[in-house]
Amino acid sequence: MSENIYTDESEHKLALRHLVKEDYADLKIMMDEVYPDLGGAWPEKQYRAQLTVFPEGQICIEDHGKIVAAAFSLIVDYDKFGDHHTYDQITGDAYLTTHDPLGDVLYGIEVCVSLDYRSMRLGRRLYEARKELCQSLNLKSIVAGGRIPNYKDYAHEMSPQKYIEQVKKREIYDPILTFQLSNDFEVKRVLTAYLPEDKESKGYATLLEWTNLYYEDHKSPLIGATKTSARIGCIQWQMRSLNSVDELIQQVEFFVDALSDYQCDLALLPEFFNAPLMGIDEHDSSFDSIKALAEYSSEILDAISKLAVSYNINIIAGSMPVMDNGELFNVAYLCRRDGTLESQYKLHPTPYEKRAWIMKGGNGLNVFDTDFGRIGILICYDVEFPELARLQSEKGMQMLFVPFWTDTKNAYLRVRHCAHARAIENECYVITAGSVGNLPKVDGADIQYAQSAVFSPSDFSFPHDAIMAETTPNTEMTLIVDLDLTKLEQLKNEGSVKNYLDRRRDLYKITWLGD
């Protein structure tokens, strides 16, 4: 957002733009000047948190490089707060921890204009910029709590409701409410104790709304709507000798058919579930074996994608080796039941994969939209790097799927404990599936240990040990679990602890440096 505004060419040069960290010194001077009775400017750590959480919503007007007006906002899922809230509740104490990129309302938290610029209608320019932002983001409305500072002169003779009516009729002037009404905002109700320290307004505030007439309401369709619960099927896969791809697909279809009969939304296969195909022919080295296995991946993927469509179930095809531009990668595929395909490359090959298979790590991290929620995939070792799940969580991930392949119990426990931690840290479900059994003819795949499981956050709405369900160790079987996605939203806002909301965004953040 950048707009040059010229008035009295020799005197001013105004520009509308987004705020940046370096603006804090100017902003502090202005806010200390405007709000001496309300504590002045926010601490710099709060300001930095606002820029980190929602930089698009923090805008300003500068004059010859000096900040002379500013407006701050966030996006909220308004139904979570409703019309009864305080300033601290809906803004997360001004740290914007309540910001929800998937919300439906732009909430205005502050508009401030330097006292020396009050006659230039800069507030109106900021309000127009907010409206433009609201329309660009296709949000339903702008909502804000407005101070009524002149109420201090009338509190002894009338209620705040009557005062507001008098201001509406222009029988009383209020510097804030009069301005807001002239900018097409309507008063929805009176808020009590909205900003208790506001002595001029006696703690009262108006709840104001501007409606976006261009808002396109994407209502849930009568059929095919995104679900509020998901039924997940994990396949604890038995490694067995196979003689062809057809035998492998036959075994996959057996499990897909069974899970489809139970109306599962998704079936999860383990990492390298197709490893038995390495035993079809003899190879001189482990590298030759994995390269030969990669030659089957395209055929297997095509067959599983067709199974997803014909059995009406989404399938995460564990992971398979793939040759890409002459390099070998470990790739998980999401085969949707509508026929579409997406992939997640393993970012961290294990030391064995790098040494024996010359395997490379991918460079992209994804979150996928499905007909039952937003999901992420991390292949085995990747779940041991907490930054990845955190980045996915910031993009709205509700369920994390972890196909794994471990040989010994201690290797398995690394994956299990890390997967469990990711569920608690990121307030999401984590679903794991591994393989069991032996492959005597396959180098590097002699033994497997697995106990597939579904983990939840740790709070009262979930099982006391935060384990939704788990399989019998080292036994081929399926695990079917129903996941209530509404509980995740309740946890986020009402949990005993609030890992997402309580993150100190003013102190730290995780930044993706890849493509």
Side-chain angles (χ1 to χ4, degrees):
M1 179 182 297
S2 179
E3 177 185 344
N4 288 326
I5 308 161
Y6 297 93
T7 63
D8 300 334
E9 293 180 1
S10 61
E11 184 178 357
H12 297 294
K13 185 177 182 181
L14 305 178
L16 175 69
R17 62 171 173 82
H18 289 104
L19 283 159
V20 295
K21 290 185 292 186
E22 291 74 20
D23 292 324
Y24 180 73
D26 282 352
L27 186 71
K28 177 172 170 45
I29 292 172
M30 180 178 65
M31 294 187 75
D32 285 344
E33 173 190 51
V34 173
Y35 299 126
D37 298 328
L38 291 175
W42 290 307
E44 186 173 5
K45 62 182 180 180
Q46 284 180 303
Y47 173 68
R48 286 177 174 268
Q50 294 161 0
L51 296 187
T52 299
V53 173
F54 184 40
E56 299 86 351
Q58 323 317 325
I59 57 179
C60 69
I61 296 174
E62 65 175 19
D63 185 13
H64 292 288
K66 178 184 176 182
I67 304 301
V68 296
F72 301 81
S73 61
L74 73 159
I75 300 172
V76 296
D77 181 347
Y78 194 72
D79 287 342
K80 293 178 182 176
F81 300 93
D83 291 342
H84 298 277
H85 58 260
T86 67
Y87 179 86
D88 286 345
Q89 287 172 343
I90 202 163
T91 67
D93 296 331
Y95 282 99
L96 308 197
T97 56
T98 51
H99 175 70
D100 184 351
L102 303 178
D104 57 354
V105 164
L106 186 69
Y107 196 91
I109 64 172
E110 183 60 72
V111 171
C112 182
V113 178
S114 172
L115 298 181
D116 295 334
Y117 288 75
R118 289 291 172 91
S119 63
M120 297 178 62
R121 298 187 177 183
L122 300 189
R124 181 179 294 275
R125 296 183 190 273
L126 293 172
Y127 267 55
E128 291 302 315
R130 262 192 191 162
K131 292 174 184 177
E132 180 185 351
L133 178 63
C134 181
Q135 291 171 343
S136 298
L137 296 173
N138 189 38
L139 299 174
K140 187 184 300 182
S141 61
I142 302 174
V143 175
R147 298 174 58 234
I148 44 176
N150 275 6
Y151 181 58
K152 66 181 185 302
D153 298 329
Y154 298 88
H156 65 285
E157 61 181 275
M158 65 179 70
S159 67
Q161 290 84 352
K162 185 174 181 181
Y163 175 81
I164 292 167
E165 288 301 317
Q166 297 284 348
V167 175
K168 284 184 178 179
K169 295 176 182 178
R170 299 188 180 181
E171 296 175 1
I172 295 176
Y173 172 79
D174 186 277
I176 294 179
L177 180 56
T178 300
F179 168 75
Q180 290 166 328
L181 293 173
S182 68
N183 279 276
D184 304 320
F185 278 77
E186 296 183 2
V187 178
K188 297 181 67 178
R189 61 175 295 109
V190 175
L191 298 172
T192 58
Y194 179 75
L195 203 62
E197 62 269 30
D198 182 8
K199 305 302 181 183
E200 291 181 325
S201 305
K202 303 298 182 181
Y204 293 107
T206 55
L207 184 65
L208 301 126
E209 183 174 29
W210 174 83
T211 301
N212 177 13
L213 298 179
Y214 299 100
Y215 173 67
E216 295 182 9
D217 187 3
H218 301 296
K219 292 182 178 180
S220 296
L222 297 178
I223 58 174
T226 299
K227 300 183 178 183
T228 58
S229 64
R231 177 167 292 177
I232 303 302
C234 302
I235 301 169
Q236 187 155 287
W237 177 264
Q238 174 78 42
M239 291 291 192
R240 51 171 59 81
S241 297
L242 297 172
N243 296 312
S244 67
V245 173
D246 288 341
E247 287 186 22
L248 178 83
I249 297 303
Q250 184 180 42
Q251 192 66 20
V252 172
E253 184 172 8
F254 166 77
F255 285 112
V256 169
D257 187 6
L259 295 177
S260 176
D261 282 346
Y262 286 101
Q263 298 182 324
C264 288
D265 293 297
L266 183 138
L268 175 64
L269 284 158
E271 179 184 24
F272 287 135
F273 67 97
N274 60 340
L277 297 179
M278 286 193 284
I280 292 179
D281 299 310
E282 293 186 3
H283 302 282
D284 294 333
S285 66
S286 295
F287 181 61
D288 290 337
S289 296
I290 199 70
K291 282 182 63 179
L293 183 62
E295 294 176 1
Y296 298 116
S297 295
S298 178
E299 181 182 354
I300 296 170
L301 178 61
D302 182 62
I304 292 179
S305 181
K306 290 177 180 176
L307 291 178
V309 174
S310 60
Y311 285 98
N312 190 29
I313 182 172
N314 301 287
I315 303 172
I316 294 178
S319 77
M320 297 181 284
V322 173
M323 293 297 297
D324 186 350
N325 291 323
E327 294 184 319
L328 191 64
F329 295 90
N330 186 356
V331 186
Y333 289 95
L334 170 62
C335 303
R336 292 192 183 88
R337 50 185 155 198
D338 65 3
T340 57
L341 283 171
E342 293 200 71
S343 63
Q344 174 62 60
Y345 282 53
K346 188 173 185 178
L347 303 187
H348 300 91
T350 63
Y352 177 84
E353 289 172 329
K354 289 188 287 187
R355 182 181 67 253
W357 293 343
I358 322 299
M359 189 165 278
K360 303 293 184 180
N363 296 314
L365 183 65
N366 304 308
V367 172
F368 306 106
D369 287 312
T370 71
D371 52 18
F372 60 92
R374 287 177 68 80
I375 71 170
I377 302 171
L378 293 178
I379 303 171
C380 197
Y381 191 34
D382 279 348
V383 82
E384 298 180 31
F385 297 84
E387 299 87 351
L388 301 181
R390 176 59 53 82
L391 288 166
Q392 291 171 314
S393 173
E394 294 286 355
K395 294 182 179 180
M397 178 184 67
Q398 298 165 293
M399 291 158 280
L400 174 60
F401 291 86
V402 183
F404 70 90
W405 184 23
T406 51
D407 51 359
T408 61
K409 187 171 182 178
N410 63 305
Y412 159 73
L413 288 175
R414 285 197 301 270
V415 174
R416 178 188 176 95
H417 293 325
C418 290
H420 208 165
R422 303 299 85 85
I424 295 170
E425 295 164 352
N426 299 295
E427 298 175 335
C428 65
Y429 295 107
V430 178
I431 302 95
T432 69
S435 57
V436 301
N438 307 307
L439 289 174
K441 294 183 179 181
V442 178
D443 183 34
D446 309 80
I447 58 174
Q448 285 82 42
Y449 184 98
Q451 184 180 20
S452 305
V454 178
F455 304 114
S456 72
S458 185
D459 214 318
F460 296 117
S461 296
F462 305 95
H464 72 93
D465 55 2
I467 301 172
M468 299 292 293
E470 56 189 341
T471 62
T472 303
N474 285 347
T475 301
E476 184 171 54
M477 61 184 294
T478 59
L479 182 68
I480 299 176
V481 183
D482 284 335
L483 304 179
D484 186 344
L485 303 180
T486 61
K487 286 185 178 181
L488 298 179
E489 287 301 317
Q490 293 171 352
L491 173 71
K492 188 175 180 180
N493 295 283
E494 303 171 11
S496 301
V497 294
K498 303 174 183 178
N499 293 70
Y500 177 81
L501 295 181
D502 289 340
R503 290 174 192 161
R504 289 291 303 276
R505 292 170 172 82
D506 58 311
L507 297 180
Y508 58 85
K509 65 178 180 178
I510 296 175
T511 303
W512 179 255
L513 301 178
D515 294 337

